[in-house]
Amino acid sequence: MRALVYLGPGSAELQDRPAARLVNGDDVVVEVVGTGVCGTDRKILLGKFPARPGVVLGHESVGVVRETGPQVRSVAVGDRVVVNPTLYCGWCTPCSRGATNHCRHKTGTEIGVDRDGTYAEAVTLPERFVVRVPAGLSFRSAVLIEPLACVLNNVEAAAVSFDDTVVVLGSGPIGMLTAMVAARHARRVTVAEPDVYRRELAREQFAHVVDVTGTDAAEAVVKASGGERPSVVFDTTGVGLDAALRLIDDGGRIVVMGFDDTYATPLRPLQLTNRGIRLIGAGDYRADTFAVAVDLAAEFVGQSKPATSTGVGQGGASFLERLVTHEFPLERYGDAFTALGGLAQGNAADGPEAADSDTAPAPSPRYDALKVVIRSHPGPAGADGWPVDA
């Protein structure tokens, strides 16, 4: 089968790999229909997130069950499914307490990082990590289930409530999902974004969107809010902690979501203790959170809008569908990454605050897409985005 293999920073190629097959009695072979391009995938290729050379990339995947082991009961051949890529053993101390996201046996199990992922024609996984997609859920909605699970985990960690004012740094797919989920609880949500394409898409969905192009993100947001500081800040960029610390109100919470292993900013503990600021890292989501994301994705189906002038989604599309702006076949993976700012090392910044406060901000990449999907299935698709034979 064809698969996109990571060779090292800045390098990946399509290779022929052995076809996915059953190994254990509880295995499921999923024919991959498509996989969303995650910011983590781009960070891996930029050398900003560690991964094993030789691994097949990709993890935000949906597909169709093509083969099951004799012990499999929850899915059957022909079922449309979403992959839960956050594997866990189920028997270590954290797992036995329900904290499957902190499983102590992660080595070799991170899909698309150190275990073969889903930028491929098929993948084999244990049954418990393959979940049936609710009836009527389109392909483009289902491919956002895994990112939605990430967002639910982080919003829950912040304990957002009706009296909170929330700022989301970045309006990429994770930022948009974070703002949408937080808005179900908070008094007001503001999105800060420097990229004109993504900023305009955010304005179609949210009332409070701040342009932070070429300016200090913290100052711009406070000015736009009439001097009010937020009680919760979500940094979905991975490079915005410095801005978040200067932006947050006393007693507030900062949730660090984005991944960038090359980013660092000075942190004085007194900033937290004197001002009562809580700095939160939520980690991976638990298995029960993934189940909630599946249900919530189905609920979003009823929240549709007409197509917009910018072409986000299609007429009558749900919020999730409207996030998917581009799809590319597997062999055009290079075009997929180009639409997301490319893989040039100079494109280091992914959000509103890309450098330490005492240096000039690095230039942000220019985006031409919101959520990009790489399709592994070469055949024709129906109006719902699924293969016509699914």
Side-chain angles (χ1 to χ4, degrees), residues 176 180 200-207 209 305 319 322:
M176 293 279 275
M180 174 59 74
E200 290 308 307
L201 298 188
R203 282 177 172 155
E204 293 172 1
Q205 189 64 49
F206 305 107
V209 178
K305 286 186 178 181
F319 173 72
R322 297 196 304 275

Side-chain angles (χ1 to χ4, degrees), residues 51-105:
R52 176 177 61 83
V55 75
V56 177
L57 296 169
H59 59 276
E60 297 179 358
S61 180
V62 294
V64 179
V65 175
R66 289 308 183 208
E67 194 174 0
T68 63
Q71 299 171 15
V72 174
R73 297 292 180 268
S74 64
V75 295
V77 171
D79 283 349
R80 299 174 179 182
V81 294
V82 58
V83 169
N84 177 356
T86 303
L87 306 191
Y88 56 88
C89 72
W91 54 263
C92 68
T93 299
C95 284
S96 66
R97 294 173 177 169
T100 57
N101 51 329
H102 297 302
C103 175
R104 291 178 179 169
H105 299 94

Side-chain angles (χ1 to χ4, degrees), residues 38 57 109 116 162 164 176 388:
C38 178
L57 296 169
T109 71
D116 283 346
F162 67 91
D164 279 317
M176 293 279 275
V388 293

Side-chain angles (χ1 to χ4, degrees), residues 18 32 46 51 80 100 104 123 145 160 196 210 217 232 255 263-264 276-277 334 346 362 370:
V32 177
L46 284 169
R80 299 174 179 182
T100 57
R104 291 178 179 169
V123 66
I145 288 174
V160 176
V196 62
V210 179
V232 181
V255 183
Y263 171 77
I277 296 170
L370 193 57

Side-chain angles (χ1 to χ4, degrees), residues 166-172 175-176 179 189-196 198-200 202-203 206 208-213 215-222 224-225 230 233-237 240 243-244 247 350-353:
V166 172
V167 169
V168 178
L169 300 180
S171 65
M176 293 279 275
V189 173
T190 298
V191 177
E193 173 61 51
D195 181 74
V196 62
R198 292 186 164 185
R199 190 170 61 249
E200 290 308 307
R203 282 177 172 155
F206 305 107
H208 305 285
V209 178
V210 179
D211 180 0
V212 293
T213 308
T215 187
D216 180 272
E219 292 181 3
V221 172
V222 171
S225 302
V233 175
F234 292 96
D235 171 29
T236 70
T237 73
L247 173 61
D350 288 326
E353 189 71 16

Side-chain angles (χ1 to χ4, degrees), residues 8 19 24 49 57 84 90 97 109 122 128 155 159 161 264-265 280 322 365 380 382 390:
N24 302 307
F49 191 85
L57 296 169
N84 177 356
R97 294 173 177 169
T109 71
R128 60 183 171 174
V155 174
S161 67
T265 190
I280 301 168
R322 297 196 304 275

